[in-house]
Amino acid sequence: MEIQEIALDELKPQRFIADKVREISAVVGDQMAINALSGGIDSAVVTMLGHRALGDRLRTCFIDSGLMREKEPERVVSLFKELGVPVDLIDAHETFFGALKDKTDPEEKRQAITRSFYGGVFARLVRETGAKYLLQGTNYTDIEETVAGIKRQHNILEQLGINPEESYGYRVIEPLIQLRKPAIRKLGQSLGLPQEIHNRPPFPGPALAARVIGEVTPDRVRLVRSATTIVEEELSRSGAFQYLAILHEDRVTGMRDGKRDYGFQVEVRCWESTDAKTGSATRLPFEVLERLAGRITAELPGVVSVTYNITKKPPSTIEAI
Ligand code: XMP
């Protein structure tokens, strides 16, 4: 792999920022560029670098795939507005749910999301704006895992032999490709991003679809979204690296109001990790686990089983698909 990692202790944030701002300006010249902001640290840092380099020649879009967490699209757009960065909110629910219909295989689901994102929504935005460049926050871990064949990270194109210029009509600029998450968080701090963004737990590009086993339908996403809200409320003070809820495909027998209830299963994961490359389960107090199970089964109709996953990564991965 010819991309050289810049380790956290080697990173000089101000110098890195100045170099990347210069590089982005030089590459884009007087053309238009576009980027997608998800609110995660990677895309937030890229947005700030891009705005410093290009000002209003960068169009930043939040693509609402219908797979995001509760109120996430509105929240991210208003937060960046406060930072002086205008963000267009694009409703793309139909494109994504259309592409995910009837798909149950994890790789096919990831592929459907990649295609909807780059080939569908983005290609259309690029045509509309005349942008020649796409700025994105691919990081070193994404490349490593994709090249190793562990998972196709949805933002990797060239490493998979996809030429975005030929396939979709734009070139990709990836300023964070040499960094892992801790280094990207440090950059976020130097760029003046609020705590809420630079300390935010990672969230995957395929969003809640990475947490739905089996078909990703609007109803199943709604269920995992509500479970996610509960898990985030209960575990945000745990200090863990990442915590999430997963919706299983199989139903199990449970009982409610003295009657048999054949219902859904939700799995909770809470990870200790520094770089997402390896991880282990947080030793959560039993009361916290009980509260999670109690709230999820009481607040989400149809859920009769809540489990806590204690497997390490590897062999597990952090997300479910
Ligand atoms: P896994 O599940 O591969 O996740 O152990 C490692 C870290 O990456 C996040 N993740 C993704 N991020 N696109 C992303 O931008 C993706 O396709 C993707 N899949 C997983 C995951 O949340 C974890 O922090």
Side-chain angles (χ1 to χ4, degrees):
M1 188 159 93
E2 75 277 347
I3 298 158
Q4 191 76 42
E5 180 186 357
I6 302 174
L8 178 62
D9 57 1
E10 292 164 2
L11 176 73
K12 299 205 170 41
Q14 293 307 341
R15 170 134 179 241
F16 184 92
I17 291 166
D19 287 352
K20 291 297 164 189
V21 166
R22 214 173 19 250
E23 270 173 47
I24 296 167
S25 304
V27 171
V28 177
D30 56 9
Q31 306 274 355
M32 278 292 292
I34 189 165
N35 82 309
L37 172 68
S38 67
I41 183 70
D42 302 349
S43 69
V45 166
V46 166
T47 300
M48 297 309 281
L49 289 175
H51 271 270
R52 283 205 188 173
L54 305 171
D56 58 14
R57 276 180 300 112
L58 177 65
R59 181 164 172 211
T60 297
C61 303
F62 185 105
I63 297 179
D64 182 2
S65 56
L67 305 169
M68 305 310 287
R69 286 170 292 187
E70 203 70 53
K71 308 230 164 53
E72 196 164 20
E74 302 78 10
R75 174 103 200 93
V76 174
V77 171
S78 80
L79 214 143
F80 275 81
K81 197 171 169 199
E82 280 167 32
L83 293 169
V85 176
V87 180
D88 294 343
L89 184 56
I90 315 286
D91 180 345
H93 294 209
E94 278 179 25
T95 306
F96 283 84
F97 283 117
L100 286 162
K101 193 163 167 21
D102 298 328
K103 297 211 167 47
T104 53
D105 175 79
E107 269 307 289
E108 280 181 24
K109 292 195 300 195
R110 280 179 176 265
Q111 213 162 17
I113 291 170
T114 305
R115 291 215 182 102
S116 305
F117 193 87
Y118 292 99
V121 183
F122 242 92
R124 181 171 54 74
L125 285 170
V126 168
R127 277 196 302 275
E128 281 169 20
T129 56
K132 292 278 179 287
Y133 295 90
L134 165 62
L135 248 68
Q136 72 171 13
T138 318
N139 67 41
Y140 194 77
T141 311
D142 296 339
I143 303 279
E144 226 174 27
E145 298 211 329
T146 301
V147 171
I150 297 167
K151 254 182 209 184
R152 156 202 270 267
Q153 301 288 352
H154 93 289
N155 48 354
I156 308 285
L157 293 172
E158 300 197 20
Q159 281 71 25
L160 293 170
I162 299 169
N163 178 335
E165 201 165 7
E166 262 171 30
S167 307
Y168 307 131
Y170 50 75
R171 293 185 58 192
V172 177
I173 305 175
E174 296 171 313
L176 309 181
I177 206 145
Q178 292 170 279
L179 308 177
R180 290 187 197 272
K181 282 267 190 272
I184 299 172
R185 282 190 219 280
K186 190 162 155 190
L187 274 188
Q189 236 167 332
S190 301
L191 284 162
L193 288 171
Q195 179 90 349
E196 180 179 339
I197 299 267
H198 66 77
N199 268 342
R200 190 166 106 140
F203 187 65
L208 295 173
R211 301 174 180 179
V212 172
I213 302 176
E215 192 182 353
V216 182
T217 62
D219 281 348
R220 305 193 78 222
V221 170
R222 251 190 297 279
L223 209 156
V224 87
R225 180 182 292 125
S226 304
T228 302
T229 304
I230 297 172
V231 168
E232 292 189 350
E233 280 170 11
E234 295 295 336
L235 300 183
S236 64
R237 287 175 306 281
S238 65
F241 175 79
Q242 205 169 346
Y243 29 84
L244 47 129
I246 292 161
L247 175 62
H248 280 247
E249 190 170 22
D250 287 344
R251 298 227 213 159
V252 290
T253 301
M255 53 190 297
R256 221 179 264 276
D257 305 326
K259 282 205 210 98
R260 200 180 157 93
D261 183 3
Y262 194 55
F264 302 112
Q265 302 185 72
V266 168
E267 175 189 322
V268 176
R269 297 184 184 186
C270 181
W271 291 101
E272 297 299 306
S273 176
T274 49
D275 56 8
K277 240 182 121 182
T278 59
S280 57
T282 305
R283 292 177 178 234
L284 292 171
F286 207 80
E287 308 80 74
V288 173
L289 294 170
E290 279 185 325
R291 201 164 51 239
L292 279 166
R295 280 196 62 189
I296 293 171
T297 47
E299 295 174 33
L300 305 186
V303 178
V304 296
S305 167
V306 177
T307 54
Y308 184 55
N309 192 323
I310 54 167
T311 316
K312 289 189 178 1
K313 172 180 179 175
S316 178
T317 52
I318 286 180
E319 304 289 343
I321 74 152

